[in-house]
Amino acid sequence: MSTHRVGPADLIIYRLAHKLVYVKPPATYEEALTLAQTEFSEELGTVDSSRIRFFIVAGQSQYGESPRVVRISEGAWPSAVARMHRGEIVDLELRPDPNQIVEKRASISLELPPRPRREGVTGPTGPRPGLARRKSSQVNASNRKWFGLK
């Protein structure tokens, strides 16, 4: 007979990058965020809690599907915790800081530098570069020989 206990688990594991810590499963999502910031204070202590997300790996289904990474929403937290196994890993992910994304976007210039002007070439209605016709006097004897002309 299996002694593997099915939720509610008395211990789960929070994982951030390669760091692991055993924790008692928090009852609410807010408690989960606070606990994450406490246990990973160097990485998450000053981070806005809205940037922290939780994920678990959902096991294989009866249809033989591969395990999938599933985010736990705030509303689903109590139900998800109630079904966790002892020692189950809850991955923590930090969303990008929206303030830094806006700053980065603002610093990118979408304007292209002006195109260099070529002497004797007019705007879009004028002759295209490289396609201007040469005057017949510009064709020299070596060009004629190359084309088989005399």
Side-chain angles (χ1 to χ4, degrees), residues 29 33 37 47-53 93-96 98:
Y29 195 79
L33 291 169
Q37 289 181 303
V47 171
D48 183 63
S49 63
S50 67
R51 294 180 52 209
I52 300 171
R53 299 192 300 184
E93 180 183 275
L94 194 58
R95 292 181 9 196

Side-chain angles (χ1 to χ4, degrees), residues 17-36:
H18 299 294
K19 294 183 177 182
L20 302 167
V21 61
Y22 278 113
V23 297
K24 287 188 165 259
T28 68
Y29 195 79
E30 284 302 317
E31 290 175 13
L33 291 169
T34 302
L35 184 59

